[in-house]
Amino acid sequence: MKYKRVLITGTVGFIGFHLSERLLKEGVVVIGVDSINEYYDVEVKNRRNAILKKYPNYHFSKLNIAEYEKLSKLIEKEKPEAIIHLAAQAGVRYSLIDPWIYAESNYLGTLNMFEVARRYNIKRVLFASSGAVYGNNTEIPFAIEHRTDHPISIYGATKKANELLAHSYHHLFGTEMGGMRFFTVYGQYGRPDLALFKFARNILRDEPIDVYNHGKMTRTFTHVNDVVDGIIALLNKKDLKYEIYNFSGSDSITLIDFIDLIGKYIGKPVEKRYLPMQAGDIPAALVDISKAAKDLGYKPKVKIEEGVKDFIEWFMKNKDWLLKLKDS
Ligand SMILES: NC(=O)c1ccc[n+]([C@@H]2O[C@H](COP(=O)([O-])OP(=O)(O)OC[C@H]3O[C@@H](n4cnc5c(N)ncnc54)[C@H](O)[C@@H]3O)[C@@H](O)[C@H]2O)c1
């Protein structure tokens, strides 16, 4: 591992948790930062944090990255060698309800992360972007060189803004910037606001599943283990200036087939409620990962059947507390 002390924001979030655990197992000191916000039930975040806290090389601070002074004091104390910035107000739909929280965490929070990197001479910064930057692009698969200057959600616009700001910081201060566009990530300890979790819960509760766009949407789901492999490959990349990568899974699936797969592994019939497309959603998300493959050797390994099966097995083992979580 190229770096021995890495600051990760959003460590009790879904991707941050998995990434942190992998690095902690490798002996890296993970300086974890998270505000533990209540966008979804904090029970999941507290459980993830309890797992991470078992590692003596995990240094956690509950902190809002929008608060610059507190952040800079932490950096002075902990002296990280690299930053992996995953904290964000996530979610496409919620950005229509509370756009201000996206401004605070995604605009100001990201500016603060880039600014501490500049002031404390932290050369390498990786940051999470999103497939949402592709907006309503009809040219698929989505490739890095495609235009992404017309996002169709407030969330997507904040993620695009992060990519632009990163470019300015690279140009002005030479920060090595690695932007990572993720696409519907799933896996154990996954987000309760996302489809897989909600569908599994509904099936177990004998409640119907809302199938938007009549199930005709296509998605490339990405297993969190593949995402973690991609992030680590980018962290270790020898030369980095300013690059953006698509990190997505290998196979795509329609929403309807995805739901049937979940039903199959739970072993219960699925009641579906067909609905039109929702504002801000995109009909197809097929992704070109050739740049990540070429530069980083990125090769997603987890097949959707295998990943969903693994998630459902975890869900069934933990269903006593999972089914009690507040709906998000
Ligand atoms: N999971 C996906 O499918 C997906 C897809 C595309 C992009 N992303 C991006 O990847 C990153 C990680 O996503 P995730 O799925 O782990 O989301 P998550 O919501 O589980 O994790 C994000 C974490 O950031 C923390 N956070 C939010 N605002 C903060 C602030 N101001 N200060 C400190 N901490 C704050 C939250 O408490 C949360 O624990 C995010 O930037 C997200 O936008 C995720």
Side-chain angles (χ1 to χ4, degrees):
M1 204 63 71
K2 190 167 170 173
Y3 300 95
K4 297 279 168 265
R5 298 181 72 81
V6 178
L7 184 134
I8 303 179
T9 69
T11 45
V12 308
F14 170 42
I15 300 173
F17 161 68
H18 285 277
L19 174 69
S20 298
E21 197 174 27
R22 186 85 73 83
L23 290 180
L24 289 166
K25 279 183 181 157
E26 300 247 358
V28 174
V29 173
V30 171
I31 301 138
V33 167
D34 202 300
S35 61
I36 320 188
N37 74 18
E38 294 186 3
Y39 167 60
Y40 57 78
D41 199 321
V42 294
E43 175 74 16
V44 192
K45 298 187 180 189
N46 290 336
R47 282 179 185 259
R48 293 178 187 136
N49 214 14
I51 295 170
L52 297 179
K53 280 182 173 170
K54 289 187 182 137
Y55 295 85
N57 43 337
Y58 179 55
H59 302 183
F60 178 72
S61 293
K62 185 169 188 279
L63 193 148
N64 183 344
I65 56 165
E67 295 179 34
Y68 185 78
E69 290 308 318
K70 287 186 187 161
L71 181 63
S72 85
K73 278 205 182 93
L74 178 75
I75 305 274
E76 258 170 49
K77 182 174 146 238
E78 290 282 5
K79 300 187 175 37
E81 299 160 357
I83 291 176
I84 306 177
H85 172 41
L86 302 174
Q89 179 55 54
V92 168
R93 285 168 200 157
Y94 189 63
S95 71
L96 278 66
I97 296 167
D98 182 2
W100 292 275
I101 188 71
Y102 289 76
E104 179 183 305
S105 295
N106 303 6
Y107 288 135
L108 180 58
T110 299
L111 174 75
N112 286 347
M113 294 316 301
F114 293 172
E115 191 55 26
V116 286
R118 169 200 175 189
R119 290 187 190 233
Y120 294 94
N121 205 23
I122 302 164
K123 271 277 165 241
R124 184 159 297 200
V125 179
L126 311 188
F127 63 97
S129 182
S130 166
V133 301
Y134 287 103
N136 255 342
N137 281 13
T138 47
E139 195 181 347
I140 45 178
F142 297 150
I144 297 298
E145 60 277 12
H146 290 176
R147 283 183 66 174
T148 52
D149 52 359
H150 41 248
I152 55 164
S153 68
I154 293 154
Y155 167 71
T158 65
K159 288 291 173 181
K160 180 65 192 175
N162 290 170
E163 293 183 359
L164 301 177
L165 189 66
H167 188 269
S168 309
Y169 267 80
H170 167 70
H171 177 78
L172 292 167
F173 312 114
T175 316
E176 298 169 352
M177 287 287 188
M180 308 173 290
R181 293 178 183 163
F182 301 135
F183 298 79
T184 28
V185 185
Y186 74 103
Q188 296 189 7
Y189 287 92
R191 272 167 46 191
D193 62 313
L194 292 184
L196 176 55
F197 194 104
K198 287 188 170 179
F199 293 167
R201 186 195 55 203
N202 283 24
I203 296 170
L204 280 164
R205 284 182 182 162
D206 296 314
E207 286 170 8
I209 290 181
D210 288 344
V211 185
Y212 292 99
N213 197 26
H214 304 277
K216 283 183 237 144
M217 288 184 296
T218 307
R219 289 287 179 273
T220 310
F221 290 88
T222 320
H223 195 270
V224 70
N225 292 353
D226 287 329
V227 166
V228 169
D229 286 346
I231 301 174
I232 292 176
L234 183 53
L235 184 67
N236 286 326
K237 187 177 189 299
K238 202 159 158 267
D239 300 309
L240 179 65
K241 293 188 168 70
Y242 168 87
E243 299 292 350
I244 303 285
Y245 292 100
N246 283 340
F247 286 144
S248 92
S250 49
D251 37 16
S252 55
I253 186 168
T254 61
L255 186 57
I256 207 78
D257 288 345
F258 183 60
I259 292 169
D260 287 340
L261 198 58
I262 303 166
K264 178 177 128 185
Y265 289 124
I266 293 183
K268 284 184 78 172
V270 186
E271 192 191 330
K272 298 167 192 132
R273 191 159 56 193
Y274 292 96
L275 295 166
M277 186 117 125
Q278 280 195 311
D281 268 349
I282 49 176
L286 305 174
V287 187
D288 178 351
I289 55 169
S290 55
K291 181 178 168 188
K294 183 170 157 277
D295 290 6
L296 309 170
Y298 177 71
K299 193 174 186 300
K301 296 183 196 82
V302 186
K303 294 267 161 241
I304 187 83
E305 288 80 10
E306 191 192 323
V308 169
K309 184 168 180 272
D310 176 70
F311 177 85
I312 297 301
E313 280 169 9
W314 168 81
F315 199 103
M316 299 306 273
K317 257 189 239 146
N318 292 276
K319 70 177 179 348
D320 288 349
W321 65 272
L322 288 173
L323 289 176
K324 282 193 207 121
L325 293 178
K326 278 193 288 241
D327 286 359
S328 30

